[in-house]
Short mmCIF file of all heavy atoms in Angstrom, two decimals:
data_model
loop_
_atom_site.label_atom_id
_atom_site.label_comp_id
_atom_site.label_asym_id
_atom_site.label_seq_id
_atom_site.Cartn_x
_atom_site.Cartn_y
_atom_site.Cartn_z
N MET A 1 -7.98 -23.83 -20.32
CA MET A 1 -8.58 -22.58 -19.89
C MET A 1 -8.82 -22.63 -18.39
O MET A 1 -9.25 -23.64 -17.85
CB MET A 1 -9.87 -22.32 -20.65
CG MET A 1 -10.59 -21.05 -20.18
SD MET A 1 -12.12 -20.69 -21.14
CE MET A 1 -11.41 -19.85 -22.53
N TYR A 2 -8.58 -21.56 -17.69
CA TYR A 2 -8.79 -21.47 -16.27
C TYR A 2 -10.28 -21.38 -15.97
O TYR A 2 -11.04 -20.71 -16.65
CB TYR A 2 -8.08 -20.21 -15.71
CG TYR A 2 -8.47 -19.86 -14.31
CD1 TYR A 2 -7.89 -20.55 -13.24
CD2 TYR A 2 -9.44 -18.91 -14.04
CE1 TYR A 2 -8.25 -20.25 -11.97
CE2 TYR A 2 -9.82 -18.60 -12.77
CZ TYR A 2 -9.20 -19.27 -11.72
OH TYR A 2 -9.58 -18.97 -10.43
N ALA A 3 -10.73 -22.10 -14.94
CA ALA A 3 -12.14 -22.06 -14.53
C ALA A 3 -12.26 -21.48 -13.12
O ALA A 3 -11.49 -21.84 -12.24
CB ALA A 3 -12.74 -23.44 -14.58
N ASP A 4 -13.23 -20.56 -12.93
CA ASP A 4 -13.46 -19.98 -11.64
C ASP A 4 -14.18 -20.98 -10.72
O ASP A 4 -14.02 -20.93 -9.48
CB ASP A 4 -14.29 -18.70 -11.75
CG ASP A 4 -13.50 -17.63 -12.52
OD1 ASP A 4 -12.52 -17.11 -11.98
OD2 ASP A 4 -13.89 -17.37 -13.69
N ARG A 5 -14.96 -21.86 -11.31
CA ARG A 5 -15.69 -22.90 -10.57
C ARG A 5 -15.62 -24.18 -11.37
O ARG A 5 -15.68 -24.15 -12.61
CB ARG A 5 -17.18 -22.56 -10.41
CG ARG A 5 -17.45 -21.45 -9.50
CD ARG A 5 -17.48 -21.93 -8.05
NE ARG A 5 -18.03 -20.89 -7.22
CZ ARG A 5 -17.83 -20.83 -5.91
NH1 ARG A 5 -17.12 -21.72 -5.34
NH2 ARG A 5 -18.35 -19.85 -5.24
N VAL A 6 -15.50 -25.31 -10.70
CA VAL A 6 -15.49 -26.59 -11.35
C VAL A 6 -16.59 -27.48 -10.70
O VAL A 6 -16.66 -27.58 -9.51
CB VAL A 6 -14.12 -27.32 -11.22
CG1 VAL A 6 -14.15 -28.73 -11.75
CG2 VAL A 6 -13.03 -26.49 -11.86
N VAL A 7 -17.42 -28.09 -11.55
CA VAL A 7 -18.47 -29.00 -11.07
C VAL A 7 -18.21 -30.35 -11.67
O VAL A 7 -18.22 -30.52 -12.87
CB VAL A 7 -19.89 -28.48 -11.47
CG1 VAL A 7 -20.93 -29.48 -11.00
CG2 VAL A 7 -20.17 -27.09 -10.92
N ASN A 8 -17.93 -31.32 -10.80
CA ASN A 8 -17.62 -32.70 -11.24
C ASN A 8 -18.89 -33.57 -11.07
O ASN A 8 -19.26 -33.85 -9.96
CB ASN A 8 -16.48 -33.25 -10.42
CG ASN A 8 -16.05 -34.61 -10.85
OD1 ASN A 8 -16.70 -35.26 -11.62
ND2 ASN A 8 -14.89 -35.06 -10.36
N CYS A 9 -19.48 -33.92 -12.21
CA CYS A 9 -20.66 -34.79 -12.19
C CYS A 9 -20.33 -36.14 -12.80
O CYS A 9 -21.17 -36.74 -13.47
CB CYS A 9 -21.83 -34.13 -12.95
SG CYS A 9 -22.48 -32.67 -12.09
N ILE A 10 -19.12 -36.65 -12.58
CA ILE A 10 -18.71 -37.91 -13.09
C ILE A 10 -19.15 -38.97 -12.05
O ILE A 10 -18.92 -38.82 -10.85
CB ILE A 10 -17.18 -37.99 -13.32
CG1 ILE A 10 -16.78 -36.98 -14.39
CG2 ILE A 10 -16.76 -39.42 -13.72
CD1 ILE A 10 -15.31 -36.79 -14.54
N GLY A 11 -19.81 -40.00 -12.54
CA GLY A 11 -20.35 -41.06 -11.66
C GLY A 11 -21.63 -40.56 -11.01
O GLY A 11 -22.38 -39.81 -11.60
N ALA A 12 -21.90 -41.05 -9.81
CA ALA A 12 -23.13 -40.69 -9.10
C ALA A 12 -23.09 -39.23 -8.72
O ALA A 12 -22.23 -38.81 -7.98
CB ALA A 12 -23.32 -41.57 -7.90
N CYS A 13 -24.01 -38.48 -9.22
CA CYS A 13 -24.11 -37.02 -8.93
C CYS A 13 -25.59 -36.68 -8.67
O CYS A 13 -26.37 -36.72 -9.64
CB CYS A 13 -23.54 -36.22 -10.11
SG CYS A 13 -23.45 -34.46 -9.80
N GLN A 14 -25.91 -36.46 -7.42
CA GLN A 14 -27.33 -36.16 -7.10
C GLN A 14 -27.67 -34.73 -7.48
O GLN A 14 -26.91 -33.82 -7.20
CB GLN A 14 -27.58 -36.42 -5.61
CG GLN A 14 -27.46 -37.86 -5.23
CD GLN A 14 -27.87 -38.08 -3.77
OE1 GLN A 14 -28.40 -37.21 -3.15
NE2 GLN A 14 -27.59 -39.26 -3.29
N SER A 15 -28.80 -34.56 -8.11
CA SER A 15 -29.29 -33.25 -8.51
C SER A 15 -28.25 -32.43 -9.22
O SER A 15 -27.96 -31.29 -8.81
CB SER A 15 -29.84 -32.49 -7.28
OG SER A 15 -30.79 -33.23 -6.58
N PRO A 16 -27.69 -32.93 -10.34
CA PRO A 16 -26.62 -32.22 -10.97
C PRO A 16 -27.01 -30.84 -11.50
O PRO A 16 -26.20 -29.88 -11.36
CB PRO A 16 -26.20 -33.14 -12.15
CG PRO A 16 -27.38 -34.02 -12.36
CD PRO A 16 -28.04 -34.17 -11.03
N MET A 17 -28.22 -30.66 -12.02
CA MET A 17 -28.58 -29.35 -12.55
C MET A 17 -28.74 -28.36 -11.41
O MET A 17 -28.46 -27.15 -11.58
CB MET A 17 -29.81 -29.40 -13.44
CG MET A 17 -29.54 -30.02 -14.79
SD MET A 17 -28.11 -29.30 -15.70
CE MET A 17 -28.58 -27.58 -15.79
N LEU A 18 -29.21 -28.75 -10.24
CA LEU A 18 -29.31 -27.84 -9.10
C LEU A 18 -27.93 -27.41 -8.65
O LEU A 18 -27.70 -26.25 -8.36
CB LEU A 18 -30.02 -28.52 -7.93
CG LEU A 18 -31.53 -28.72 -8.09
CD1 LEU A 18 -32.09 -29.50 -6.91
CD2 LEU A 18 -32.25 -27.39 -8.25
N THR A 19 -26.98 -28.34 -8.68
CA THR A 19 -25.61 -27.99 -8.31
C THR A 19 -24.97 -27.05 -9.32
O THR A 19 -24.36 -26.04 -8.98
CB THR A 19 -24.76 -29.29 -8.23
OG1 THR A 19 -25.34 -30.16 -7.28
CG2 THR A 19 -23.31 -28.98 -7.86
N ILE A 20 -25.14 -27.35 -10.63
CA ILE A 20 -24.62 -26.52 -11.69
C ILE A 20 -25.22 -25.13 -11.62
O ILE A 20 -24.48 -24.10 -11.67
CB ILE A 20 -24.83 -27.17 -13.05
CG1 ILE A 20 -23.96 -28.46 -13.18
CG2 ILE A 20 -24.53 -26.22 -14.20
CD1 ILE A 20 -24.35 -29.37 -14.31
N ASP A 21 -26.54 -25.06 -11.51
CA ASP A 21 -27.18 -23.72 -11.43
C ASP A 21 -26.72 -22.96 -10.22
O ASP A 21 -26.45 -21.74 -10.31
CB ASP A 21 -28.72 -23.94 -11.42
CG ASP A 21 -29.46 -22.59 -11.49
OD1 ASP A 21 -29.26 -21.89 -12.51
OD2 ASP A 21 -30.25 -22.32 -10.56
N GLY A 22 -26.63 -23.59 -9.09
CA GLY A 22 -26.19 -22.94 -7.88
C GLY A 22 -24.75 -22.41 -7.98
O GLY A 22 -24.47 -21.28 -7.53
N GLU A 23 -23.87 -23.20 -8.54
CA GLU A 23 -22.50 -22.75 -8.72
C GLU A 23 -22.40 -21.59 -9.71
O GLU A 23 -21.62 -20.65 -9.53
CB GLU A 23 -21.60 -23.92 -9.20
CG GLU A 23 -21.39 -24.98 -8.17
CD GLU A 23 -20.54 -24.49 -6.99
OE1 GLU A 23 -19.58 -23.74 -7.19
OE2 GLU A 23 -20.91 -24.85 -5.86
N MET A 24 -23.21 -21.58 -10.73
CA MET A 24 -23.18 -20.50 -11.72
C MET A 24 -23.69 -19.22 -11.08
O MET A 24 -23.18 -18.15 -11.40
CB MET A 24 -24.04 -20.86 -12.96
CG MET A 24 -23.94 -19.86 -14.07
SD MET A 24 -22.28 -19.66 -14.77
CE MET A 24 -22.26 -20.95 -16.01
N LYS A 25 -24.66 -19.31 -10.16
CA LYS A 25 -25.21 -18.12 -9.53
C LYS A 25 -24.18 -17.35 -8.71
O LYS A 25 -24.34 -16.14 -8.54
CB LYS A 25 -26.42 -18.48 -8.70
CG LYS A 25 -27.64 -18.79 -9.53
CD LYS A 25 -28.85 -19.15 -8.72
CE LYS A 25 -30.03 -19.42 -9.61
NZ LYS A 25 -31.18 -19.90 -8.91
N VAL A 26 -23.18 -18.01 -8.18
CA VAL A 26 -22.18 -17.32 -7.36
C VAL A 26 -21.11 -16.65 -8.22
O VAL A 26 -20.36 -15.83 -7.70
CB VAL A 26 -21.54 -18.24 -6.33
CG1 VAL A 26 -22.54 -18.84 -5.39
CG2 VAL A 26 -20.69 -19.33 -6.96
N LEU A 27 -21.08 -16.95 -9.49
CA LEU A 27 -20.11 -16.34 -10.39
C LEU A 27 -20.57 -14.95 -10.85
O LEU A 27 -21.78 -14.69 -10.93
CB LEU A 27 -19.87 -17.21 -11.64
CG LEU A 27 -19.22 -18.56 -11.40
CD1 LEU A 27 -19.11 -19.30 -12.71
CD2 LEU A 27 -17.85 -18.39 -10.78
N ASN A 28 -19.65 -14.09 -11.17
CA ASN A 28 -19.93 -12.82 -11.76
C ASN A 28 -19.98 -12.96 -13.28
O ASN A 28 -19.38 -13.89 -13.82
CB ASN A 28 -18.86 -11.80 -11.36
CG ASN A 28 -18.89 -11.48 -9.91
OD1 ASN A 28 -19.95 -11.29 -9.32
ND2 ASN A 28 -17.71 -11.42 -9.28
N LYS A 29 -20.67 -12.04 -13.91
CA LYS A 29 -20.72 -12.01 -15.37
C LYS A 29 -19.31 -12.11 -15.97
O LYS A 29 -18.41 -11.43 -15.50
CB LYS A 29 -21.42 -10.73 -15.82
CG LYS A 29 -21.48 -10.53 -17.34
CD LYS A 29 -22.10 -9.21 -17.68
CE LYS A 29 -21.15 -8.11 -17.31
NZ LYS A 29 -21.54 -6.81 -17.75
N GLY A 30 -19.14 -13.00 -16.92
CA GLY A 30 -17.87 -13.19 -17.58
C GLY A 30 -16.96 -14.22 -16.96
O GLY A 30 -15.98 -14.62 -17.57
N GLN A 31 -17.27 -14.70 -15.76
CA GLN A 31 -16.42 -15.72 -15.15
C GLN A 31 -16.71 -17.07 -15.79
O GLN A 31 -17.72 -17.27 -16.47
CB GLN A 31 -16.66 -15.75 -13.64
CG GLN A 31 -16.04 -14.61 -12.91
CD GLN A 31 -16.10 -14.76 -11.41
OE1 GLN A 31 -17.17 -14.82 -10.84
NE2 GLN A 31 -14.92 -14.80 -10.76
N ILE A 32 -15.82 -18.03 -15.56
CA ILE A 32 -15.83 -19.31 -16.20
C ILE A 32 -16.18 -20.46 -15.27
O ILE A 32 -15.66 -20.51 -14.13
CB ILE A 32 -14.44 -19.62 -16.85
CG1 ILE A 32 -14.06 -18.52 -17.84
CG2 ILE A 32 -14.39 -21.02 -17.43
CD1 ILE A 32 -14.89 -18.51 -19.10
N MET A 33 -17.05 -21.39 -15.73
CA MET A 33 -17.34 -22.61 -14.98
C MET A 33 -17.05 -23.80 -15.86
O MET A 33 -17.38 -23.79 -17.06
CB MET A 33 -18.78 -22.66 -14.54
CG MET A 33 -19.06 -23.87 -13.69
SD MET A 33 -20.65 -23.84 -12.80
CE MET A 33 -21.79 -23.95 -14.15
N GLN A 34 -16.43 -24.81 -15.29
CA GLN A 34 -16.15 -26.05 -15.99
C GLN A 34 -17.07 -27.14 -15.40
O GLN A 34 -17.13 -27.29 -14.18
CB GLN A 34 -14.69 -26.46 -15.76
CG GLN A 34 -14.31 -27.78 -16.34
CD GLN A 34 -12.89 -28.13 -16.08
OE1 GLN A 34 -12.00 -27.28 -16.29
NE2 GLN A 34 -12.58 -29.34 -15.67
N VAL A 35 -17.74 -27.86 -16.28
CA VAL A 35 -18.61 -28.97 -15.87
C VAL A 35 -18.08 -30.24 -16.54
O VAL A 35 -17.85 -30.26 -17.75
CB VAL A 35 -20.07 -28.74 -16.27
CG1 VAL A 35 -20.91 -29.97 -15.91
CG2 VAL A 35 -20.62 -27.50 -15.61
N MET A 36 -17.88 -31.32 -15.75
CA MET A 36 -17.43 -32.58 -16.26
C MET A 36 -18.51 -33.62 -15.97
O MET A 36 -18.99 -33.69 -14.83
CB MET A 36 -16.14 -33.00 -15.60
CG MET A 36 -15.00 -32.04 -15.91
SD MET A 36 -13.51 -32.41 -14.93
CE MET A 36 -14.07 -32.22 -13.27
N THR A 37 -18.88 -34.41 -17.00
CA THR A 37 -19.88 -35.45 -16.81
C THR A 37 -19.58 -36.62 -17.73
O THR A 37 -19.06 -36.46 -18.80
CB THR A 37 -21.28 -34.93 -17.10
OG1 THR A 37 -22.25 -35.98 -16.86
CG2 THR A 37 -21.45 -34.39 -18.49
N ASP A 38 -20.00 -37.81 -17.26
CA ASP A 38 -19.90 -39.00 -18.10
C ASP A 38 -21.28 -39.43 -18.57
O ASP A 38 -21.45 -40.51 -19.13
CB ASP A 38 -19.21 -40.16 -17.33
CG ASP A 38 -19.88 -40.49 -16.04
OD1 ASP A 38 -20.82 -39.78 -15.62
OD2 ASP A 38 -19.43 -41.44 -15.36
N ASP A 39 -22.26 -38.57 -18.38
CA ASP A 39 -23.63 -38.82 -18.80
C ASP A 39 -23.96 -37.95 -20.02
O ASP A 39 -24.13 -36.72 -19.89
CB ASP A 39 -24.60 -38.49 -17.65
CG ASP A 39 -26.06 -38.73 -17.99
OD1 ASP A 39 -26.38 -39.04 -19.13
OD2 ASP A 39 -26.87 -38.61 -17.04
N PRO A 40 -24.08 -38.54 -21.19
CA PRO A 40 -24.37 -37.76 -22.43
C PRO A 40 -25.65 -36.96 -22.31
O PRO A 40 -25.78 -35.83 -22.84
CB PRO A 40 -24.47 -38.79 -23.53
CG PRO A 40 -23.69 -39.96 -23.02
CD PRO A 40 -23.88 -39.95 -21.53
N ALA A 41 -26.65 -37.48 -21.62
CA ALA A 41 -27.94 -36.76 -21.47
C ALA A 41 -27.74 -35.50 -20.62
O ALA A 41 -28.34 -34.46 -20.90
CB ALA A 41 -28.99 -37.67 -20.82
N LEU A 42 -26.91 -35.60 -19.58
CA LEU A 42 -26.65 -34.41 -18.78
C LEU A 42 -25.88 -33.35 -19.57
O LEU A 42 -26.18 -32.19 -19.47
CB LEU A 42 -25.84 -34.79 -17.50
CG LEU A 42 -25.48 -33.59 -16.61
CD1 LEU A 42 -26.72 -32.79 -16.15
CD2 LEU A 42 -24.68 -34.06 -15.39
N ALA A 43 -24.92 -33.79 -20.41
CA ALA A 43 -24.20 -32.86 -21.26
C ALA A 43 -25.17 -32.09 -22.15
O ALA A 43 -25.06 -30.89 -22.31
CB ALA A 43 -23.14 -33.59 -22.07
N GLU A 44 -26.14 -32.76 -22.73
CA GLU A 44 -27.13 -32.12 -23.59
C GLU A 44 -28.01 -31.19 -22.80
O GLU A 44 -28.32 -30.08 -23.24
CB GLU A 44 -28.00 -33.17 -24.29
CG GLU A 44 -28.98 -32.58 -25.27
CD GLU A 44 -28.36 -31.72 -26.33
OE1 GLU A 44 -27.27 -32.01 -26.80
OE2 GLU A 44 -28.98 -30.67 -26.67
N THR A 45 -28.40 -31.57 -21.58
CA THR A 45 -29.19 -30.72 -20.69
C THR A 45 -28.42 -29.47 -20.35
O THR A 45 -29.00 -28.37 -20.36
CB THR A 45 -29.57 -31.49 -19.41
OG1 THR A 45 -30.35 -32.62 -19.82
CG2 THR A 45 -30.39 -30.62 -18.47
N VAL A 46 -27.14 -29.59 -20.06
CA VAL A 46 -26.33 -28.42 -19.74
C VAL A 46 -26.22 -27.48 -20.93
O VAL A 46 -26.33 -26.28 -20.79
CB VAL A 46 -24.90 -28.84 -19.23
CG1 VAL A 46 -24.01 -27.65 -19.12
CG2 VAL A 46 -25.01 -29.57 -17.89
N ARG A 47 -26.03 -28.05 -22.12
CA ARG A 47 -25.96 -27.20 -23.33
C ARG A 47 -27.25 -26.41 -23.50
O ARG A 47 -27.22 -25.20 -23.74
CB ARG A 47 -25.75 -28.07 -24.56
CG ARG A 47 -24.35 -28.57 -24.75
CD ARG A 47 -24.24 -29.32 -26.12
NE ARG A 47 -23.27 -30.38 -25.96
CZ ARG A 47 -23.54 -31.67 -25.75
NH1 ARG A 47 -24.81 -32.08 -25.75
NH2 ARG A 47 -22.59 -32.56 -25.64
N SER A 48 -28.39 -27.05 -23.34
CA SER A 48 -29.68 -26.40 -23.49
C SER A 48 -29.87 -25.34 -22.39
O SER A 48 -30.28 -24.22 -22.69
CB SER A 48 -30.79 -27.45 -23.43
OG SER A 48 -32.05 -26.84 -23.45
N TRP A 49 -29.58 -25.69 -21.16
CA TRP A 49 -29.71 -24.75 -20.02
C TRP A 49 -28.86 -23.54 -20.20
O TRP A 49 -29.29 -22.40 -19.98
CB TRP A 49 -29.34 -25.52 -18.74
CG TRP A 49 -29.16 -24.68 -17.56
CD1 TRP A 49 -30.13 -24.25 -16.70
CD2 TRP A 49 -27.95 -24.13 -17.05
NE1 TRP A 49 -29.58 -23.50 -15.67
CE2 TRP A 49 -28.24 -23.43 -15.89
CE3 TRP A 49 -26.63 -24.23 -17.45
CZ2 TRP A 49 -27.26 -22.77 -15.16
CZ3 TRP A 49 -25.66 -23.59 -16.74
CH2 TRP A 49 -26.00 -22.86 -15.57
N ALA A 50 -27.60 -23.75 -20.69
CA ALA A 50 -26.71 -22.61 -20.88
C ALA A 50 -27.27 -21.66 -21.95
O ALA A 50 -27.30 -20.45 -21.70
CB ALA A 50 -25.32 -23.14 -21.35
N GLY A 51 -27.78 -22.17 -23.03
CA GLY A 51 -28.34 -21.35 -24.08
C GLY A 51 -29.57 -20.57 -23.59
O GLY A 51 -29.69 -19.39 -23.87
N LYS A 52 -30.41 -21.22 -22.80
CA LYS A 52 -31.62 -20.53 -22.32
C LYS A 52 -31.30 -19.46 -21.26
O LYS A 52 -32.11 -18.56 -21.07
CB LYS A 52 -32.55 -21.58 -21.69
CG LYS A 52 -33.22 -22.49 -22.71
CD LYS A 52 -34.06 -23.52 -22.03
CE LYS A 52 -34.61 -24.53 -23.04
NZ LYS A 52 -35.32 -25.60 -22.40
N ASN A 53 -30.16 -19.60 -20.59
CA ASN A 53 -29.83 -18.68 -19.52
C ASN A 53 -28.76 -17.66 -19.93
O ASN A 53 -28.26 -16.95 -19.06
CB ASN A 53 -29.36 -19.49 -18.31
CG ASN A 53 -30.56 -20.15 -17.64
OD1 ASN A 53 -31.32 -19.51 -16.94
ND2 ASN A 53 -30.71 -21.45 -17.85
N GLY A 54 -28.39 -17.64 -21.21
CA GLY A 54 -27.48 -16.60 -21.66
C GLY A 54 -26.01 -16.92 -21.44
O GLY A 54 -25.18 -16.02 -21.59
N HIS A 55 -25.66 -18.14 -21.08
CA HIS A 55 -24.27 -18.53 -20.86
C HIS A 55 -23.70 -19.01 -22.21
O HIS A 55 -24.47 -19.53 -23.03
CB HIS A 55 -24.16 -19.61 -19.80
CG HIS A 55 -24.86 -19.28 -18.54
ND1 HIS A 55 -24.68 -18.10 -17.84
CD2 HIS A 55 -25.82 -19.97 -17.82
CE1 HIS A 55 -25.47 -18.08 -16.75
NE2 HIS A 55 -26.16 -19.21 -16.76
N VAL A 56 -22.42 -18.88 -22.35
CA VAL A 56 -21.78 -19.31 -23.62
C VAL A 56 -20.85 -20.47 -23.35
O VAL A 56 -19.99 -20.39 -22.49
CB VAL A 56 -20.97 -18.11 -24.20
CG1 VAL A 56 -20.25 -18.53 -25.48
CG2 VAL A 56 -21.88 -16.90 -24.48
N ILE A 57 -21.05 -21.55 -24.09
CA ILE A 57 -20.14 -22.68 -24.04
C ILE A 57 -18.98 -22.34 -24.97
O ILE A 57 -19.16 -22.30 -26.15
CB ILE A 57 -20.81 -24.01 -24.41
CG1 ILE A 57 -21.89 -24.32 -23.37
CG2 ILE A 57 -19.79 -25.13 -24.47
CD1 ILE A 57 -22.70 -25.54 -23.64
N GLU A 58 -17.83 -22.11 -24.37
CA GLU A 58 -16.66 -21.70 -25.14
C GLU A 58 -15.82 -22.89 -25.61
O GLU A 58 -15.14 -22.78 -26.65
CB GLU A 58 -15.79 -20.77 -24.29
CG GLU A 58 -16.55 -19.47 -24.00
CD GLU A 58 -15.66 -18.36 -23.60
OE1 GLU A 58 -14.52 -18.60 -23.17
OE2 GLU A 58 -16.12 -17.21 -23.63
N GLU A 59 -15.86 -23.98 -24.84
CA GLU A 59 -15.09 -25.18 -25.26
C GLU A 59 -15.92 -26.40 -24.83
O GLU A 59 -16.60 -26.36 -23.85
CB GLU A 59 -13.73 -25.24 -24.57
CG GLU A 59 -12.76 -24.16 -24.97
CD GLU A 59 -11.43 -24.29 -24.30
OE1 GLU A 59 -11.03 -25.44 -23.91
OE2 GLU A 59 -10.80 -23.29 -24.07
N GLU A 60 -15.73 -27.44 -25.58
CA GLU A 60 -16.32 -28.77 -25.24
C GLU A 60 -15.37 -29.86 -25.71
O GLU A 60 -14.96 -29.83 -26.87
CB GLU A 60 -17.68 -28.89 -25.89
CG GLU A 60 -18.35 -30.20 -25.50
CD GLU A 60 -19.79 -30.27 -25.99
OE1 GLU A 60 -20.42 -29.24 -26.30
OE2 GLU A 60 -20.28 -31.42 -26.12
N HIS A 61 -15.06 -30.74 -24.79
CA HIS A 61 -14.14 -31.83 -25.11
C HIS A 61 -14.74 -33.13 -24.60
O HIS A 61 -15.33 -33.16 -23.56
CB HIS A 61 -12.77 -31.62 -24.40
CG HIS A 61 -12.17 -30.30 -24.59
ND1 HIS A 61 -11.51 -29.95 -25.76
CD2 HIS A 61 -12.14 -29.20 -23.81
CE1 HIS A 61 -11.08 -28.70 -25.64
NE2 HIS A 61 -11.48 -28.22 -24.48
N VAL A 62 -14.53 -34.21 -25.35
CA VAL A 62 -14.95 -35.54 -24.94
C VAL A 62 -13.69 -36.43 -24.99
O VAL A 62 -13.09 -36.60 -26.05
CB VAL A 62 -16.07 -36.11 -25.81
CG1 VAL A 62 -16.45 -37.52 -25.32
CG2 VAL A 62 -17.28 -35.21 -25.85
N VAL A 63 -13.35 -36.96 -23.82
CA VAL A 63 -12.18 -37.85 -23.72
C VAL A 63 -12.56 -39.02 -22.86
O VAL A 63 -13.01 -38.84 -21.72
CB VAL A 63 -10.95 -37.13 -23.11
CG1 VAL A 63 -9.80 -38.07 -22.95
CG2 VAL A 63 -10.55 -35.91 -23.94
N SER A 64 -12.41 -40.23 -23.38
CA SER A 64 -12.69 -41.46 -22.64
C SER A 64 -14.12 -41.47 -22.05
O SER A 64 -14.31 -41.87 -20.89
CB SER A 64 -11.65 -41.71 -21.54
OG SER A 64 -10.38 -41.84 -22.13
N GLY A 65 -15.07 -40.91 -22.78
CA GLY A 65 -16.47 -40.94 -22.32
C GLY A 65 -16.80 -39.80 -21.35
O GLY A 65 -17.96 -39.76 -20.87
N VAL A 66 -15.89 -38.92 -21.06
CA VAL A 66 -16.16 -37.83 -20.14
C VAL A 66 -16.22 -36.51 -20.97
O VAL A 66 -15.30 -36.21 -21.70
CB VAL A 66 -15.08 -37.67 -19.07
CG1 VAL A 66 -15.31 -36.42 -18.23
CG2 VAL A 66 -15.08 -38.89 -18.18
N THR A 67 -17.37 -35.85 -20.88
CA THR A 67 -17.55 -34.55 -21.55
C THR A 67 -17.20 -33.47 -20.60
O THR A 67 -17.64 -33.43 -19.46
CB THR A 67 -19.01 -34.36 -22.02
OG1 THR A 67 -19.34 -35.46 -22.88
CG2 THR A 67 -19.20 -33.05 -22.74
N THR A 68 -16.34 -32.55 -21.08
CA THR A 68 -15.97 -31.34 -20.29
C THR A 68 -16.52 -30.13 -21.03
O THR A 68 -16.20 -29.91 -22.21
CB THR A 68 -14.46 -31.21 -20.08
OG1 THR A 68 -13.99 -32.39 -19.44
CG2 THR A 68 -14.08 -29.99 -19.29
N LEU A 69 -17.35 -29.33 -20.34
CA LEU A 69 -17.92 -28.15 -20.93
C LEU A 69 -17.34 -26.93 -20.18
O LEU A 69 -17.34 -26.90 -18.94
CB LEU A 69 -19.43 -28.11 -20.77
CG LEU A 69 -20.17 -29.28 -21.42
CD1 LEU A 69 -21.52 -29.51 -20.76
CD2 LEU A 69 -20.35 -29.04 -22.88
N ILE A 70 -16.80 -25.96 -20.91
CA ILE A 70 -16.29 -24.75 -20.37
C ILE A 70 -17.26 -23.64 -20.75
O ILE A 70 -17.48 -23.35 -21.94
CB ILE A 70 -14.89 -24.41 -20.93
CG1 ILE A 70 -13.92 -25.59 -20.77
CG2 ILE A 70 -14.33 -23.16 -20.30
CD1 ILE A 70 -13.58 -25.95 -19.35
N MET A 71 -17.89 -23.05 -19.74
CA MET A 71 -18.92 -22.04 -19.97
C MET A 71 -18.56 -20.69 -19.37
O MET A 71 -17.99 -20.65 -18.27
CB MET A 71 -20.24 -22.47 -19.34
CG MET A 71 -20.87 -23.66 -19.95
SD MET A 71 -22.42 -24.07 -19.11
CE MET A 71 -21.76 -24.82 -17.62
N ARG A 72 -18.89 -19.65 -20.06
CA ARG A 72 -18.75 -18.29 -19.56
C ARG A 72 -20.11 -17.76 -19.16
O ARG A 72 -21.06 -17.85 -19.93
CB ARG A 72 -18.15 -17.35 -20.63
CG ARG A 72 -17.86 -15.94 -20.09
CD ARG A 72 -17.08 -15.14 -21.11
NE ARG A 72 -15.83 -15.71 -21.47
CZ ARG A 72 -14.67 -15.55 -20.82
NH1 ARG A 72 -14.64 -14.83 -19.70
NH2 ARG A 72 -13.58 -16.12 -21.24
N LYS A 73 -20.21 -17.21 -17.94
CA LYS A 73 -21.48 -16.66 -17.47
C LYS A 73 -21.84 -15.49 -18.32
O LYS A 73 -21.03 -14.61 -18.52
CB LYS A 73 -21.42 -16.30 -15.99
CG LYS A 73 -22.76 -15.79 -15.45
CD LYS A 73 -22.76 -15.65 -13.97
CE LYS A 73 -24.11 -15.24 -13.49
NZ LYS A 73 -24.17 -15.19 -11.99
N GLY A 74 -23.07 -15.49 -18.83
CA GLY A 74 -23.48 -14.44 -19.75
C GLY A 74 -24.20 -13.29 -19.12
O GLY A 74 -24.62 -13.33 -17.95
N ILE A 75 -24.38 -12.27 -19.94
CA ILE A 75 -25.06 -11.06 -19.50
C ILE A 75 -26.56 -11.29 -19.19
O ILE A 75 -27.06 -10.82 -18.20
CB ILE A 75 -24.96 -9.97 -20.59
CG1 ILE A 75 -23.47 -9.59 -20.79
CG2 ILE A 75 -25.76 -8.75 -20.28
CD1 ILE A 75 -23.21 -8.74 -21.99
N ALA A 76 -27.21 -12.11 -20.01
CA ALA A 76 -28.62 -12.38 -19.83
C ALA A 76 -28.91 -13.01 -18.46
O ALA A 76 -29.95 -12.74 -17.87
CB ALA A 76 -29.18 -13.23 -20.96
N ALA A 77 -27.98 -13.83 -17.99
CA ALA A 77 -28.18 -14.48 -16.68
C ALA A 77 -28.19 -13.49 -15.54
O ALA A 77 -28.81 -13.70 -14.52
CB ALA A 77 -27.09 -15.55 -16.51
N GLU A 78 -27.49 -12.38 -15.67
CA GLU A 78 -27.38 -11.40 -14.60
C GLU A 78 -28.76 -10.79 -14.32
O GLU A 78 -29.08 -10.45 -13.21
CB GLU A 78 -26.46 -10.21 -15.04
CG GLU A 78 -25.03 -10.41 -14.75
CD GLU A 78 -24.62 -10.26 -13.31
OE1 GLU A 78 -24.80 -9.19 -12.71
OE2 GLU A 78 -24.09 -11.21 -12.77
N ALA A 79 -29.57 -10.62 -15.37
CA ALA A 79 -30.85 -9.91 -15.24
C ALA A 79 -31.90 -10.76 -14.54
O ALA A 79 -32.89 -10.20 -14.03
CB ALA A 79 -31.33 -9.53 -16.62
N LYS A 80 -31.72 -12.06 -14.47
CA LYS A 80 -32.75 -12.94 -13.87
C LYS A 80 -32.77 -12.89 -12.38
O LYS A 80 -31.88 -12.62 -11.70
CB LYS A 80 -32.54 -14.38 -14.34
CG LYS A 80 -32.89 -14.47 -15.80
CD LYS A 80 -32.89 -15.92 -16.22
CE LYS A 80 -33.36 -16.02 -17.66
NZ LYS A 80 -33.50 -17.33 -18.13
#
């Protein structure tokens, strides 16, 4: 799937949620962001954050310890 923004949090990634949130804010409703991480805790945090902010995780893949999340910016996030 094509992503409008890609956030690579593999390895050392300072303030990953600030980066992810900032990148999502520049997207328009319905656009796609891809997040890659090798930290299972960060993957869980992103899943929770997406749900709370109205974003939809459309795909999730784990290959060789790297989780890739494909998220669509949701309508609820526009209102905030």
